[in-house]
Amino acid sequence: MSKLLPSAEGSLLLVGGKLVPGGAGVFATMNPASGEVLGQAANGDAGDMDAAIAAARSAFDDTGWSRDHAFRAACLRQLRDALRDNIEELRELTIAEVGAPRMLTSGPQLEGPIGDLGYFADLAENYTWETDLGVASPMGIKSGRTLRREAVGVVGAITPWNFPHQINFAKLGPALAAGATVVLKPAPDTPWCAALIGKVIAEQTDIPAGVVNIVTSADHALGAQLAGDPRVDMVSFTGSTATGKAVMATAATTLKKVFLELGGKSAFIVLDDADIAAASSYAGFSVCVHAGQGCALTTRLLVPRASYDDAVAAAAKAMAGIKPGDPAEGGTVCGPLISERQRDRVERYLEIAQAEGGTIVTGGGRPDRPGWFVEPTLISGLSNTATAAQEEIFGPVLVVIPHDGDDDAVRLANESPYGLSGAVWGTDPERIDHVVRGVRTGTLGVNGGIWYAADAPFGGYKQSGIGRELGVAGFEEYTETKLVATAE
């Protein structure tokens, strides 16, 4: 038996420093590439969540965790190193439970976010926790002012299934570095990925009891319990916009701080001076990565009207060449969708697209293999207001839309409730800059530029969220600002 992987009886919760079974028993975690049961995960209940919140509250209020910056940095590096020691077991689990292509586990699906813990350890040590604002005399009272940053308190972290390690650590890393304590509620589709973090924390690090608590559960109501509990000072949520609105409404009952990273329908803008075939091929390839299950993937391809047919042909050729495959194989780009439910959802969008006048140029079917796969699918003939061009599908689906020049491309890109990501391809720097400045979105890649990094803040405009994750801005989400004025 592996020293890390769950036993036949299932994984365990981490509550108050102890690995414990779930109060509601267990539930199945599935392999999306085969449709078969992988094993059992601890099914936490409301009592488990209550105990986890209490443990996090006590660890914050009654220990020196929030004030010992050097100790927190050491613990984060210790966690990073322990995870690296177990990297191959984590890799195989991630491929099996998430359906993540093996190639991505050397980057954002596993090794990248583990390495990013080192960035937040460094930040905990080197951040300017106090700033001298000098002396002023408001109302004639001479006062020396000091600006302090302090940990926000107890953080409720609610995470999705598509990039579980990346998103779990994008919350745990900065929250722990800032001195917060955390209750993590991961998605029911990927409980083992989170449970194994808890096992490593409990058995291989010096992180004090209660600082990190992990409650896996099939019950989505536990997320609402976490968001509404008055002992929780902040909710950090990544997921759909619809659920984010519910989280925000629940959190408002106790007026707690909220970070939301939500949906996207990002535009890939190709200007008329770009290499149309190369840009369109790139757009077709990128939407197939991890079966299109990424909130920041570009799912609308906006191309010059005069080059529309050429763009469709180039994107279709690229997508037709990407065959859905076993995520355990090194060359697989497009693996399975996470669940049968998600596959059905993607297929309903394809039906709607055709009913609204769209044409499926390539793909649209199910490969002849077990598991929850959908072929990479290109749709032409739709307007920018069509359902498939406005709503987040979360599958390997690309809609091609014509534009009538740079300003029209900006208008179309912004004609969306979302503003998470995007791309611009062209050759004239001034025109590119004009488009970049016009698109209301949180991140943009120019000519293939990659914006993802530990030190780079990520988040969206409009209904794509509130706040930023990663970077100094993401770290500061987990802090409060205190001004101290001392009469002199």
Side-chain angles (χ1 to χ4, degrees):
M1 174 64 64
S2 162
K3 66 179 181 178
L4 185 62
L5 294 180
S7 67
E9 291 76 24
S11 59
L12 297 169
L13 311 178
L14 175 61
V15 178
K18 297 180 180 179
L19 298 171
V20 298
V26 296
F27 67 102
T29 184
M30 309 293 289
N31 183 331
S34 68
E36 298 176 346
V37 174
L38 276 174
Q40 304 298 320
N43 196 8
D45 62 12
D48 295 317
M49 181 58 76
D50 182 73
I53 295 169
R57 185 76 262 167
S58 177
F60 186 81
D61 292 340
D62 302 331
T63 76
W65 171 257
S66 67
R67 297 181 294 277
D68 194 337
H69 310 320
F71 178 58
R72 298 199 306 274
C75 286
L76 281 168
R77 294 189 185 105
Q78 191 180 45
L79 175 59
R80 176 199 60 193
D81 294 345
L83 291 165
R84 284 175 170 171
D85 289 343
N86 295 284
I87 198 68
E88 294 310 320
E89 291 174 88
L90 285 165
R91 190 186 318 280
E92 297 308 317
L93 172 69
T94 304
I95 293 167
E97 187 174 54
V98 185
R102 182 176 296 276
M103 61 181 289
L104 290 182
T105 63
S106 62
Q109 278 286 13
L110 182 62
E111 292 187 39
I114 288 174
D116 291 348
L117 293 174
Y119 168 81
F120 289 106
D122 293 344
L123 197 52
E125 286 182 328
N126 301 321
Y127 183 71
T128 302
W129 294 95
E130 292 193 5
T131 302
D132 184 356
L133 297 184
V135 177
S137 298
M139 294 179 285
I141 301 173
K142 188 176 181 181
S143 304
R145 289 91 40 77
T146 301
L147 187 67
R148 294 180 178 175
R149 285 281 193 169
E150 298 179 348
V152 70
V154 175
V155 173
I158 306 172
T159 57
W161 44 259
N162 57 325
F163 282 80
H165 296 304
Q166 192 276 316
I167 300 169
N168 288 341
F169 291 130
K171 298 185 188 303
L172 286 172
L176 298 180
T181 59
V182 182
V183 178
L184 172 63
K185 166 64 173 70
D189 299 276
T190 51
W192 277 5
C193 285
L196 295 196
I197 298 171
K199 186 173 175 64
V200 170
I201 288 172
E203 298 179 348
Q204 301 180 40
T205 78
D206 296 322
I207 295 174
V211 167
V212 178
N213 305 271
I214 299 175
V215 181
T216 60
S217 179
D219 186 356
H220 290 280
L222 266 61
Q225 178 184 349
L226 183 58
D229 195 294
R231 295 169 294 178
V232 176
D233 299 293
M234 174 182 175
V235 177
S236 181
F237 171 81
T238 298
S240 72
T241 295
T243 304
K245 291 176 181 179
V247 167
M248 190 173 185
T250 301
T253 61
T254 52
L255 213 62
K256 56 173 54 74
K257 192 173 183 179
V258 175
F259 165 80
L260 301 173
E261 194 273 285
L262 307 176
K265 194 67 184 179
S266 302
F268 190 115
I269 299 172
V270 183
L271 306 184
D272 61 16
D273 63 348
D275 183 328
I276 301 295
S280 301
S281 297
Y282 188 97
F285 173 85
S286 64
V287 80
C288 298
V289 175
H290 191 31
Q293 297 171 117
C295 56
L297 292 175
T298 46
T299 53
R300 290 183 293 155
L301 176 57
L302 309 184
V303 299
R305 190 175 298 276
S307 303
Y308 186 81
D309 291 343
D310 292 339
V312 168
K317 182 178 180 181
M319 296 178 75
I322 299 172
K323 305 301 181 184
D326 184 351
E329 296 179 358
T332 296
V333 172
C334 183
L337 296 168
I338 189 65
S339 64
E340 186 175 19
R341 177 188 69 254
Q342 181 63 19
R343 183 182 63 183
D344 291 346
R345 181 176 185 273
V346 171
E347 290 177 338
R348 284 196 300 273
Y349 273 108
L350 300 184
E351 293 171 359
I352 292 169
Q354 293 176 90
E356 293 182 351
T359 298
I360 292 181
V361 182
T362 188
R366 297 181 183 179
D368 184 17
R369 59 178 302 131
W372 300 309
F373 292 85
V374 169
E375 295 170 340
T377 304
L378 183 71
I379 303 174
S380 67
L382 290 177
S383 73
N384 196 52
T385 58
T387 302
Q390 286 293 306
E391 297 185 12
E392 187 174 44
I393 297 174
F394 233 59
V397 181
L398 182 65
V399 179
V400 190
I401 298 166
H403 70 73
D404 295 309
D406 298 2
D407 288 339
D408 189 50
V410 170
R411 178 188 66 81
L412 291 168
N414 290 337
E415 190 180 54
S416 167
Y418 301 112
L420 187 57
S421 188
V424 182
W425 281 54
T427 57
D428 184 327
E430 291 187 5
R431 290 178 60 192
I432 291 171
D433 184 65
H434 175 74
V435 171
V436 166
R437 290 178 182 276
V439 177
R440 291 184 53 77
T441 190
T443 58
L444 277 167
V446 176
N447 292 331
I450 303 298
W451 41 259
Y452 168 70
D455 64 344
F458 171 70
Y461 289 24
K462 300 187 284 185
Q463 293 190 37
S464 286
I466 296 173
R468 290 296 180 268
E469 200 149 63
L470 302 178
V472 174
F475 168 81
E476 290 180 341
E477 294 283 352
Y478 297 94
T479 67
E480 292 281 16
T481 301
K482 178 182 287 183
L483 179 66
V484 179
T486 304
E488 296 192 356

